């Protein structure tokens, strides 16, 4: 079992719902946080790192891809 915080789960859920699609930091912020967060914050980047530490690195995977200048996507067989 992999223990995720509520925010990690919400972020992963947003990525999974649109697997293979690139989601901007702003889109992910809207999905996992309330309107109080400043979209210039690096909170999305921090939580992506937390997710990678939990769901990728222990298994030698690279399922969360950074798309430079755009955002992130959850890789699928088609997007690998």
């Amino acid at each position: 079992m992999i223990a995720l915080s509520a925010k990690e789960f919400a972020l992963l859920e947003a990525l999974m719902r649109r697997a293979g699609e690139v989601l901007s930091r702003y889109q992910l912020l809207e999905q996992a946080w309330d309107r109080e967060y400043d979209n210039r914050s690096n909170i999305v980047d921090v939580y992506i790192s937390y997710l990678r530490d939990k769901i990728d690195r222990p298994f030698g995977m690279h399922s969360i891809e950074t798309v430079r200048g755009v955002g992130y996507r959850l890789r699928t067989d088609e997007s690998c």
Side-chain angles (χ1 to χ4, degrees):
M1 182 168 80
I2 300 172
L4 299 176
S5 71
K7 293 296 183 201
E8 291 165 343
F9 185 84
L11 188 56
L12 181 59
E13 179 182 23
L15 289 166
M16 290 177 72
R17 287 186 182 276
R18 296 180 58 190
E21 295 180 38
V22 179
L23 298 175
S24 71
R25 286 169 178 81
Y26 183 74
Q27 288 173 303
L28 293 169
L29 193 65
E30 282 187 321
Q31 295 292 318
W33 283 268
D34 58 29
R35 304 264 184 232
E36 299 295 316
Y37 278 91
D38 184 355
N39 67 357
R40 292 170 290 181
S41 167
N42 72 336
I43 194 77
V44 172
D45 303 320
V46 170
Y47 274 82
I48 288 288
S49 177
Y50 293 161
L51 275 176
R52 285 177 170 152
D53 286 343
K54 291 181 178 183
I55 68 169
D56 276 351
R57 288 186 184 100
F59 307 101
M61 303 292 294
H62 300 284
S63 58
I64 300 174
E65 179 181 15
T66 301
V67 180
R68 191 170 174 87
V70 182
Y72 299 97
R73 78 170 147 207
L74 187 65
R75 296 174 68 134
T76 62
D77 289 336
E78 293 81 32
S79 65
C80 288

